[in-house]
DNA sequence: TTTCCTGTTAGTGT
DNA sequence: AACACTAACAGGAA
């Protein structure tokens, strides 16, 4: 799930594996997903891996950066002599031999390591940018929710600027808060026991506090979990992982609310996206 | 077969 | 500003 937790997971694993390696060759199999100069990459060493919002940044020693957006269905799979790990959308399954039809860019790295960029729906992209372009890419992106700077006061201040907006919409708005997508927006509302369809202006102080708390608690747990999931080498079964187990409302329509309050999880459409909630405990 | 859905987001019109 | 709708695309589910 290319929301914040999964990108963060990829970031941590890739950082460990790829920093210090040189890019030896790049095979672009679908041109439209690659923006930039391939010559900026060849023979260049990877010096860092970062995440900002839902984007993965690979820093290069020549002051260039590779910027990945996995959109709905992107995957990154890193393969070394021990096997491979993958992160992103689990379809096609990480166990499927790469490269395959959804493998659009292949980075051959020193030491016989390979990074595959897969994108089933072809919405995602990788860009090679300089410092200035990198900054521009994030000029309209809001604060990182897990940053210490993202306090309750800061959160309240940001959302109160948009009193008429719906809670779920605000949570997913990248210019307001970075990295939260459709799954976690529903999960956070459930945590805070508020209906995702309510407007910001209707929230009490306590509810805002709970929403903030939900963001701060759910995302790290998800990172921990996704780490496990994405860590599974392809020889292991179940690459879809157990993260579904962790979700309280997303995809659980028709099932009992886990708070055992007699409620059943409902699914509605909000702004064209599925929204999940329990109308008994969420007010 | 057809239709509808999907973890994103940029752009357009009202 | 908020909201609805569309477009990029492939494929699984009903």
């Amino acid at each position: 799930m290319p929301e914040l937790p999964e990108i963060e997971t990829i970031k941590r694993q890739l950082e460990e594996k790829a920093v210090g390696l040189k890019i030896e060759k790049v095979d672009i199999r679908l041109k439209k997903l690659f923006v930039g100069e391939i010559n900026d990459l060849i023979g260049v060493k990877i010096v860092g891996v970062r995440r900002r919002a839902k984007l993965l940044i690979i820093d290069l020693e020549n002051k260039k950066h590779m910027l990945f957006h996995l959109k709905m269905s992107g995957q990154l799979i890193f393969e070394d002599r021990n096997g491979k790990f993958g992160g992103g959308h689990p379809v096609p399954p990480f166990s499927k031999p790469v490269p395959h039809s959804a493998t659009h860019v292949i980075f051959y790295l020193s030491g016989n390591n390979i990074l595959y960029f897969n994108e089933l729906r072809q919405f995602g992209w990788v860009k090679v940018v300089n410092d200035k372009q990198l900054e521009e890419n994030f000029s309209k992106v809001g604060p990182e929710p897990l940053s210490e700077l993202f306090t309750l006061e800061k959160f309240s201040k940001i959302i109160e600027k948009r009193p008429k907006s719906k809670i779920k919409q605000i949570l997913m708005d990248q210019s307001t808060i970075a990295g939260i997508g459709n799954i976690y927006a529903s999960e956070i509302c459930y945590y805070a026991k508020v209906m995702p369809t309510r407007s910001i202006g209707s929230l009490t102080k306590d509810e805002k506090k709970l929403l903030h708390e939900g963001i701060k608690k759910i995302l790290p747990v998800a990172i921990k979990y996704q780490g496990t999931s994405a860590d599974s080498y392809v020889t292991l079964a179940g690459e879809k992982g157990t993260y579904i187990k962790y979700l309280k409302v997303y995809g659980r329509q028709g099932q009992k609310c886990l708070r055992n309050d007699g409620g059943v999880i409902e699914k509605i459409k909000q702004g064209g996206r599925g929204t999940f909630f329990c109308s008994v405990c969420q007010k």
Side-chain angles (χ1 to χ4, degrees), chain A residues 151-163:
Chain A
T151 58
L152 173 59
E153 291 68 35
K154 174 104 181 169
F155 173 64
S156 302
K157 213 171 176 179
I158 295 170
I159 62 175
E160 279 160 14
K161 280 183 195 157
R162 309 253 305 267

Side-chain angles (χ1 to χ4, degrees), chain A residues 7-8 10-12 14 49-58 66-70 76 115 138:
Chain A
I7 309 295
E8 180 65 24
I10 298 173
K11 180 255 170 190
R12 291 180 186 185
L14 207 53
V49 181
R50 290 182 282 156
R51 178 195 59 77
R52 171 80 171 100
K54 296 174 190 170
L55 287 98
L56 185 81
I57 306 164
I58 296 183
M66 279 200 282
L67 200 52
F68 291 86
H69 201 312
L70 303 186
L76 282 170
L115 181 65
F138 295 110

Side-chain angles (χ1 to χ4, degrees), chain A residues 68-253:
Chain A
F68 291 86
H69 201 312
L70 303 186
K71 292 288 180 103
M72 301 276 269
S73 58
Q75 309 177 323
L76 282 170
I77 294 180
F78 184 91
E79 184 174 41
D80 64 15
R81 55 185 86 67
N82 295 320
K84 55 187 183 179
F85 70 79
H89 194 286
V91 177
F94 296 119
S95 57
K96 189 172 177 180
V98 275
H100 50 63
S101 60
T103 305
H104 302 312
V105 186
I106 306 173
F107 300 91
Y108 295 92
L109 309 176
S110 54
N112 286 323
N113 297 289
I114 306 177
L115 181 65
Y116 298 94
F117 178 38
N118 300 338
E119 229 299 25
L120 180 73
R121 291 173 71 180
Q122 306 177 10
F123 292 173
W125 41 257
V126 51
K127 286 182 194 170
V128 182
V129 297
N130 59 30
D131 290 341
K132 196 180 160 210
Q133 291 166 322
L134 184 71
E135 200 179 312
E136 284 167 4
N137 257 284
F138 295 110
S139 63
K140 288 177 187 164
V141 176
E144 283 294 321
L146 297 182
S147 153
E148 285 177 13
L149 300 174
F150 189 71
T151 58
L152 173 59
E153 291 68 35
K154 174 104 181 169
F155 173 64
S156 302
K157 213 171 176 179
I158 295 170
I159 62 175
E160 279 160 14
K161 280 183 195 157
R162 309 253 305 267
K164 285 187 179 170
S165 294
K166 305 285 186 253
I167 299 166
K168 184 176 176 237
Q169 178 195 333
I170 282 277
L171 290 175
M172 291 174 65
D173 182 345
Q174 299 302 295
S175 67
T176 309
I177 307 162
I180 299 172
N182 200 42
I183 291 180
Y184 291 102
S186 282
E187 296 293 320
I188 289 162
C189 289
Y190 177 81
Y191 178 95
K193 300 184 182 175
V194 297
M195 284 292 291
T197 48
R198 287 204 9 224
S199 64
I200 293 297
S202 74
L203 291 171
T204 65
K205 212 175 167 186
D206 282 351
E207 287 170 333
K208 285 175 206 160
K209 192 177 169 211
L210 281 172
L211 279 167
H212 179 258
E213 198 177 294
I215 293 169
K216 289 285 191 184
K217 286 197 173 169
I218 288 173
L219 296 178
V221 171
I223 290 170
K224 197 175 159 191
Y225 171 79
Q226 299 288 6
T228 313
S229 159
D231 213 6
S232 60
Y233 281 69
V234 289
T235 49
L236 302 177
E239 57 282 340
K240 217 172 170 183
T242 48
Y243 80 83
I244 287 168
K245 231 166 45 180
Y246 153 85
L247 298 171
K248 303 249 193 311
V249 283
Y250 184 87
R252 294 195 68 249
Q253 67 273 25

Side-chain angles (χ1 to χ4, degrees), chain A residues 248-260:
Chain A
K248 303 249 193 311
V249 283
Y250 184 87
R252 294 195 68 249
Q253 67 273 25
Q255 298 177 47
K256 275 197 226 164
C257 172
L258 293 172
R259 287 192 173 114
N260 265 325

Side-chain angles (χ1 to χ4, degrees), chain A residues 5-71:
Chain A
E6 191 147 32
I7 309 295
E8 180 65 24
T9 300
I10 298 173
K11 180 255 170 190
R12 291 180 186 185
Q13 296 192 324
L14 207 53
E15 187 171 38
E16 196 159 306
K17 298 271 190 179
V19 170
L21 301 181
K22 262 186 190 170
I23 301 168
E24 291 178 342
K25 190 181 136 191
V26 181
D27 183 6
I28 300 172
R29 304 179 2 140
L30 185 61
K31 262 191 176 168
K32 67 172 181 178
L33 299 195
F34 185 96
V35 181
E37 283 299 318
I38 202 169
N39 287 335
D40 287 338
L41 305 178
I42 306 303
V44 179
K45 196 193 279 183
I46 293 171
V47 295
V49 181
R50 290 182 282 156
R51 178 195 59 77
R52 171 80 171 100
K54 296 174 190 170
L55 287 98
L56 185 81
I57 306 164
I58 296 183
D59 297 312
L60 304 172
E61 64 176 341
N62 61 357
K63 298 276 183 83
K64 304 280 185 181
H65 315 269
M66 279 200 282
L67 200 52
F68 291 86
H69 201 312
L70 303 186
K71 292 288 180 103

